[in-house]
Amino acid sequence: MHPNTLSTGCPWDGSPRTTPTRRPLRVAATSPSRLLRAGQSGRCRRCGNRIDFYQRTDQRPIALHPAELTAAHVPESCRWHLSSGIAHPHGDGSAWCRIPHTVLCPDRTPTTPTGPHLQAVRRQLAVRTRRLIDTGAFTPAPAAVCAPPAGSPARSVVQLLLGRYLAETPVEGIRCVAQTRHRHRCPEPVLAPNTPQGLWTLLPASPQRGQLTLPATLMAVYDLSRLPYAEQMRWRTQRCPAHAAHPGAADLALAGWQVFDPLLHAAHIRTRLSHTAPGHHGKG
């Protein structure tokens, strides 16, 4: 016996074979949005979480959180809704809305007060970011580094732990105060290349309560406030990463920080930053 082979191109049961017609992905001529749906999703460069891109009425793109949230939990200034592929900066009267990713990004400081529900979403995104980093699926973009203040002050002003301090030396000259095995002071700097870096920026030179207002409204500050708490404590105790990992080591010198007073330390205030180095981006 010979097998009965069908030559009609039908499956083994004789049913007709249908081949789906492949259609190219195109933008309709009447579509108000010129973005392809397949190209609207991406990943945040700062936290690695998914974001959806949409065009606004002014043709500029905006990154929205991919999931809808309860409108009652979102401030009115952060509510967005979609209509025909266009993002509109207000609610549509329904119980749900979209929210910009910048409000929830765990690598950004929110500028709008958020309630406990949005804080919970931020924590979930932060945990997801940590998992992506630990598995090697995401590498955070390096923080923008700005050039130091113009004039190269002899003592730098540093902001950390919700306070502002005046260092004994420039930032790169701050030295570890721990004692080595040979009972000498550690020669390593606190500013280590393989640790999170601060950012030179211009911040208000806010005087203490009851003091006169300074003529200069902005001053150059090395901002460490965005670093993790443990890293800020390492700077505050003035230790290099190696000695910070071994807190049992004694200190051979006192930390050289001095609480910054804008009037008492006016000579160390710089009101502008020097030109940014090539490839870096700074403020001011």
Side-chain angles (χ1 to χ4, degrees):
M1 298 179 62
H2 298 281
N4 184 13
T5 303
L6 298 176
S7 59
T8 59
C10 298
W12 63 271
D13 58 352
S15 59
R17 183 186 299 274
T18 57
T19 302
T21 304
R22 295 183 178 273
R23 296 185 300 171
L25 189 62
R26 297 175 180 174
V27 178
T30 58
S31 173
S33 174
R34 307 306 299 172
L35 286 175
L36 288 172
R37 291 294 176 184
Q40 284 188 285
S41 298
R43 296 281 179 178
C44 176
R45 297 179 58 186
R46 304 184 63 164
C47 69
N49 289 291
R50 180 190 158 191
I51 51 180
D52 288 346
F53 292 102
Y54 288 92
Q55 282 186 345
R56 299 184 287 190
T57 54
D58 57 1
Q59 302 300 318
R60 291 188 300 167
I62 183 173
L64 299 179
H65 184 62
E68 289 185 324
L69 300 178
T70 305
H73 299 157
V74 180
E76 291 186 7
S77 59
C78 300
R79 297 176 187 175
W80 289 71
H81 80 277
L82 302 176
S83 178
S84 301
I86 299 296
H88 299 271
H90 50 77
D92 58 352
S94 66
W96 304 92
C97 68
R98 302 292 290 269
I99 187 172
H101 175 74
T102 54
V103 181
L104 301 176
C105 182
D107 193 52
R108 296 177 182 268
T109 301
T111 58
T112 303
T114 56
H117 295 86
L118 295 187
Q119 290 294 339
V121 177
R122 283 176 58 88
R123 287 193 294 268
Q124 293 176 0
L125 295 181
V127 172
R128 190 177 303 170
T129 299
R130 175 51 53 188
R131 290 177 179 172
L132 293 174
I133 295 175
D134 293 342
T135 57
F138 170 68
T139 301
V145 179
C146 180
S152 299
R155 302 176 67 179
S156 296
V157 181
V158 180
Q159 180 154 319
L160 71 158
L161 296 176
L162 302 178
R164 198 168 293 181
Y165 299 87
L166 181 67
E168 290 183 324
T169 63
V171 170
E172 57 273 12
I174 301 176
R175 183 179 164 192
C176 179
V177 298
Q179 178 178 276
T180 64
R181 295 181 180 179
H182 301 285
R183 298 188 177 182
H184 299 298
R185 181 176 176 178
C186 177
E188 296 297 325
V190 178
L191 182 64
N194 296 326
T195 57
Q197 305 292 305
L199 176 68
W200 278 109
T201 185
L202 294 175
L203 296 177
S206 303
Q208 299 294 327
R209 181 175 300 177
Q211 293 179 341
L212 298 177
T213 305
L214 293 175
T217 58
L218 295 176
M219 61 177 295
V221 176
Y222 191 68
D223 189 13
L224 299 171
S225 59
R226 295 186 58 187
L227 271 59
Y229 173 78
E231 189 67 14
Q232 295 188 52
M233 281 298 300
R234 182 180 73 82
W235 277 83
R236 183 64 181 87
T237 56
Q238 201 168 320
R239 289 193 164 215
C240 65
H243 282 106
H246 300 85
D251 290 344
L252 200 61
L254 295 175
W257 300 110
Q258 189 174 357
V259 177
F260 178 76
D261 187 302
L263 294 180
L264 184 61
H265 305 131
H268 303 286
I269 294 179
R270 297 296 182 272
T271 58
R272 62 187 182 89
L273 302 174
S274 60
H275 295 290
T276 306
H280 293 167
H281 302 279
K283 300 179 182 179

Short mmCIF file of all heavy atoms in Angstrom, two decimals, residues 25-36:
data_model
loop_
_atom_site.label_atom_id
_atom_site.label_comp_id
_atom_site.label_asym_id
_atom_site.label_seq_id
_atom_site.Cartn_x
_atom_site.Cartn_y
_atom_site.Cartn_z
N LEU A 25 2.04 47.60 8.81
CA LEU A 25 1.60 48.53 9.84
C LEU A 25 1.74 49.94 9.31
O LEU A 25 2.84 50.40 9.00
CB LEU A 25 2.45 48.33 11.11
CG LEU A 25 2.00 49.08 12.36
CD1 LEU A 25 0.60 48.62 12.76
CD2 LEU A 25 2.98 48.84 13.50
N ARG A 26 0.62 50.64 9.18
CA ARG A 26 0.63 51.97 8.61
C ARG A 26 -0.16 52.92 9.51
O ARG A 26 -0.94 52.50 10.35
CB ARG A 26 0.01 51.97 7.21
CG ARG A 26 0.77 51.11 6.20
CD ARG A 26 0.03 51.06 4.89
NE ARG A 26 0.73 50.24 3.90
CZ ARG A 26 0.25 49.92 2.71
NH1 ARG A 26 -0.95 50.35 2.34
NH2 ARG A 26 0.96 49.18 1.87
N VAL A 27 0.08 54.20 9.30
CA VAL A 27 -0.66 55.23 10.01
C VAL A 27 -1.78 55.71 9.11
O VAL A 27 -1.55 56.08 7.96
CB VAL A 27 0.26 56.41 10.39
CG1 VAL A 27 -0.53 57.51 11.08
CG2 VAL A 27 1.39 55.93 11.30
N ALA A 28 -3.01 55.70 9.64
CA ALA A 28 -4.14 56.15 8.84
C ALA A 28 -4.01 57.63 8.54
O ALA A 28 -3.54 58.42 9.36
CB ALA A 28 -5.44 55.86 9.58
N ALA A 29 -4.44 58.03 7.36
CA ALA A 29 -4.33 59.44 6.96
C ALA A 29 -5.18 60.34 7.83
O ALA A 29 -4.89 61.52 8.00
CB ALA A 29 -4.72 59.58 5.49
N THR A 30 -6.26 59.79 8.41
CA THR A 30 -7.15 60.59 9.25
C THR A 30 -6.79 60.54 10.73
O THR A 30 -7.48 61.14 11.55
CB THR A 30 -8.59 60.11 9.07
OG1 THR A 30 -8.67 58.72 9.42
CG2 THR A 30 -9.05 60.30 7.63
N SER A 31 -5.70 59.83 11.08
CA SER A 31 -5.33 59.70 12.49
C SER A 31 -4.74 61.00 13.00
O SER A 31 -3.83 61.57 12.38
CB SER A 31 -4.32 58.56 12.67
OG SER A 31 -3.84 58.53 14.00
N PRO A 32 -5.21 61.51 14.14
CA PRO A 32 -4.61 62.73 14.70
C PRO A 32 -3.22 62.50 15.27
O PRO A 32 -2.46 63.43 15.45
CB PRO A 32 -5.60 63.14 15.79
CG PRO A 32 -6.26 61.87 16.19
CD PRO A 32 -6.33 61.03 14.96
N SER A 33 -2.89 61.26 15.57
CA SER A 33 -1.56 60.94 16.09
C SER A 33 -0.75 60.25 15.01
O SER A 33 -1.24 59.33 14.35
CB SER A 33 -1.68 60.02 17.32
OG SER A 33 -0.41 59.61 17.74
N ARG A 34 0.48 60.67 14.80
CA ARG A 34 1.33 60.09 13.76
C ARG A 34 2.26 59.03 14.30
O ARG A 34 3.15 58.56 13.62
CB ARG A 34 2.17 61.19 13.10
CG ARG A 34 1.37 62.37 12.58
CD ARG A 34 0.26 61.93 11.64
NE ARG A 34 0.77 61.25 10.46
CZ ARG A 34 0.02 60.63 9.56
NH1 ARG A 34 -1.30 60.60 9.73
NH2 ARG A 34 0.56 60.06 8.52
N LEU A 35 2.07 58.62 15.58
CA LEU A 35 2.91 57.60 16.17
C LEU A 35 2.32 56.22 15.90
O LEU A 35 1.12 55.99 16.06
CB LEU A 35 3.02 57.80 17.68
CG LEU A 35 3.90 58.96 18.16
CD1 LEU A 35 3.81 59.09 19.67
CD2 LEU A 35 5.33 58.77 17.74
N LEU A 36 3.19 55.28 15.50
CA LEU A 36 2.76 53.90 15.35
C LEU A 36 2.51 53.30 16.73
O LEU A 36 3.27 53.51 17.66
CB LEU A 36 3.83 53.09 14.62
CG LEU A 36 4.00 53.38 13.13
CD1 LEU A 36 5.22 52.65 12.61
CD2 LEU A 36 2.77 52.97 12.35
#
